[in-house]
Each structure stands twice: as structure tokens, then as C-alpha cells.
Amino acid sequence: MNINKMDIEQIAEAARTKSNRFEYACIRGVITYHARQLGMTLRKIGERLNKDHSTVAYYIRMHDANMRSSHIYRTFFKSLTKDKVLKIIEAL
């Protein structure tokens, strides 16, 4: 999966999917991290991603571990800037 070749709608669809593929979980984790930094509540983020607030809290807790250990997660984090995440959140 090359996130740089995906448009906003494709990324939003990947974030919304029920699949537990690691790449999709990485996208949801990065979106959750940036959305939380922008001041969104866990409940609002969960509503957008079709996840409950405890799952959203899990994505935030796992952010540091994934940044240390996962090359894929770091790549997604570099590709999905705050501006791009704002557009994705609007598309969700």
C-alpha cells in the first residue's frame, strides 16, 4: 500500500473500514493522533472512524510504540500531515 499515491477519499475509506490489516490500523492511528492534537474528543474521533472511544484511546497509547518500532507507521506518519488529516476528517 503506497499512501503517497492514495487520494483523500481512498485514505478516508481505508480509515473507515472494519478490517484489522496493519496498514489500515496505522492510518487510523495517525489520524487519531493528529485529530487529538487538534483538540477533537475521543468520542468525536470514534464517531468519524466508526470505532468506540476505548479503541481510539488504544490508538493513542500505541502511537509511541509504533513510532519506535514500525517502519510502516513512521512512513504513514510522515505522509499524513495535519493539513491532510484535516481534509481526511472532513471526508469521513
Side-chain angles (χ1 to χ4, degrees), residues 9-75:
E9 289 299 322
Q10 290 174 320
I11 296 171
E13 188 60 36
R16 231 182 281 124
T17 187
K18 297 286 184 186
S19 173
N20 287 329
R21 262 182 66 182
F22 183 68
E23 291 87 358
Y24 294 158
C26 288
I27 291 171
R28 287 190 291 265
V30 172
I31 289 171
T32 300
Y33 176 79
H34 283 307
R36 192 71 180 123
Q37 294 296 317
L38 295 168
M40 289 182 71
T41 63
L42 297 180
R43 181 165 290 161
K44 286 216 183 256
I45 297 168
E47 287 171 3
R48 298 287 179 99
L49 295 176
N50 294 328
K51 301 290 179 185
D52 60 9
H53 67 279
S54 62
T55 305
V56 173
Y58 171 77
Y59 289 142
I60 292 171
R61 284 194 311 272
M62 291 305 294
H63 173 77
D64 290 333
N66 283 333
M67 284 296 283
R68 282 192 301 265
S69 63
S70 172
H71 174 70
I72 294 170
Y73 191 89
R74 284 192 305 269
T75 302

